[in-house]
Amino acid sequence: MKSEKKTSKLLTALSILLALAMIFPIFWLICSSFKQPNELFKYPLKMFSSDPTINYYKSVLGSGFMNYVKNSLFLAVVGTLITLVISAMCGYALAIYRFEIKYTNLVFAVFLLGTLIPGETLTVPQVSVISALGLYNNIWGVILPVVTTTTGIFMFRQAYMAIPLSFVEAARIDGCPEWKIFTHVMMPLGSSSFVTLAIFSFMWRWNDYILPMLILSNQKNFTIQLAIKNYIGNTGVDWSSILSASVMSVVPVIVVFVILQKYIIGGVSAGGVKG
């Protein structure tokens, strides 16, 4: 009994230390965003500024930063909604029709094989297709190429495979159309997977840099990540503005995660059930 208590205390202490180690860089980022430029690299380093300022926050906001926030929100929210719909429908089809339609497992295997292809090799074909469709320098050219994710399809497939098929059969006997079975029966039962994928998808798109950099050339269409890069110029790096912009770019992700994080465990557990 005593050994179990000691182990529990040790694990608790290690968890606290790990949490502090992960929070510290964010705390340092926030404190540094209020420092004067000459304090950022002054030795010895200090956590808090002796002359804090919010001028760089004002400067960043005055440079049209909220327009970049709007673009990033549109990209993240719309892309996430489309991803949720496609992933849920594909996962439903691969799980529920696995005994009714041949080769559903083969189709799913093809999806999984796609994850073995390095993303860098798809960059040139993606840009070529986007240009051919007339979506270059258009926010939709960043949204549409990545609306399908194998992770989301896998998560929903596994979650729906854990639900007894008797639910679907009972609804069919009652004369419920297939679309209503999906929207009124299966979607509510897979709500934890929806929330989990929504968090991951929002974070992926909010932090995406490579595809927006290749597709968006007009500054008014820039996302937050591209806007932050603009503070790196030929004559130097505006670290104070980068820090202030980075703090503001992190806030929406933290808010979304804090509000929805309690659903992550349920969604991951549902996605990990073996069918």
Side-chain angles (χ1 to χ4, degrees):
M1 195 70 172
K2 290 183 178 180
S3 61
E4 291 181 358
K5 287 184 178 180
K6 288 182 179 180
T7 303
S8 177
K9 289 180 180 179
L10 179 61
L11 291 175
T12 301
L14 290 174
S15 299
I16 293 173
L17 289 174
L18 182 61
L20 291 174
M22 298 181 70
I23 293 173
F24 179 76
I26 299 176
F27 186 66
W28 185 277
L29 169 66
I30 295 172
C31 292
S32 297
S33 67
F34 295 102
K35 293 179 180 178
Q36 301 286 353
N38 60 345
E39 292 182 294
L40 293 174
F41 303 103
K42 186 178 180 180
Y43 187 82
L45 296 174
K46 294 182 180 180
M47 176 70 73
F48 301 101
S49 172
S50 57
D51 184 23
T53 179
I54 60 171
N55 289 338
Y56 291 96
Y57 280 95
K58 293 180 180 179
S59 175
V60 169
L61 290 174
S63 64
F65 189 77
M66 293 310 297
N67 181 62
Y68 306 136
V69 173
K70 181 187 70 175
N71 292 337
S72 290
L73 279 175
F74 183 82
L75 168 64
V77 173
V78 174
T80 295
L81 291 175
I82 298 175
T83 296
L84 288 174
V85 172
I86 292 177
S87 298
M89 293 175 69
C90 289
Y92 174 82
L94 293 171
I96 303 303
Y97 299 138
R98 64 187 186 276
F99 299 123
E100 303 175 24
I101 301 177
K102 292 182 178 181
Y103 309 120
T104 53
N105 290 331
L106 179 60
V107 172
F108 181 61
V110 172
F111 277 119
L112 293 180
L113 286 174
T115 61
L116 301 178
I117 302 174
E120 295 80 4
T121 62
L122 301 176
T123 302
V124 174
Q126 280 182 337
V127 174
S128 299
V129 172
I130 291 169
S131 299
L133 292 174
L135 295 177
Y136 183 77
N137 198 29
N138 189 315
I139 196 70
W140 286 101
V142 183
I143 294 174
L144 296 179
V146 290
V147 290
T148 303
T149 166
T150 304
T151 302
I153 294 172
F154 174 81
M155 185 182 297
F156 277 102
R157 176 182 180 271
Q158 297 303 102
Y160 288 147
M161 286 179 68
I163 299 172
L165 285 175
S166 57
F167 282 48
V168 176
E169 293 169 355
R172 288 172 178 170
I173 292 173
D174 290 339
C176 186
E178 204 68 25
W179 176 250
K180 283 192 175 181
I181 295 175
F182 172 65
T183 56
H184 290 68
V185 178
M186 303 303 288
M187 284 181 63
L189 293 174
S191 58
S192 58
S193 296
F194 273 96
V195 176
T196 304
L197 183 59
I199 294 173
F200 292 154
S201 178
F202 185 90
M203 293 175 65
W204 293 335
R205 284 157 178 78
W206 184 267
N207 294 320
D208 192 12
Y209 174 74
I210 299 298
L211 192 58
M213 180 185 67
L214 295 173
I215 301 302
L216 304 176
S217 59
N218 192 329
Q219 189 164 339
K220 71 176 183 179
N221 296 326
F222 279 7
T223 60
I224 284 180
Q225 309 308 325
L226 295 181
I228 293 176
K229 174 189 172 287
N230 280 349
Y231 294 113
I232 302 174
N234 295 327
T235 58
V237 180
D238 187 355
W239 288 108
S240 297
S241 296
I242 288 177
L243 291 170
S244 301
S246 297
V247 170
M248 289 189 283
S249 72
V250 168
V251 171
V253 177
I254 293 177
V255 171
V256 170
F257 184 81
V258 169
I259 293 174
L260 302 178
Q261 59 88 24
K262 67 179 180 179
Y263 297 98
I264 289 182
I265 295 176
V268 172
S269 299
V273 174
K274 183 177 179 181

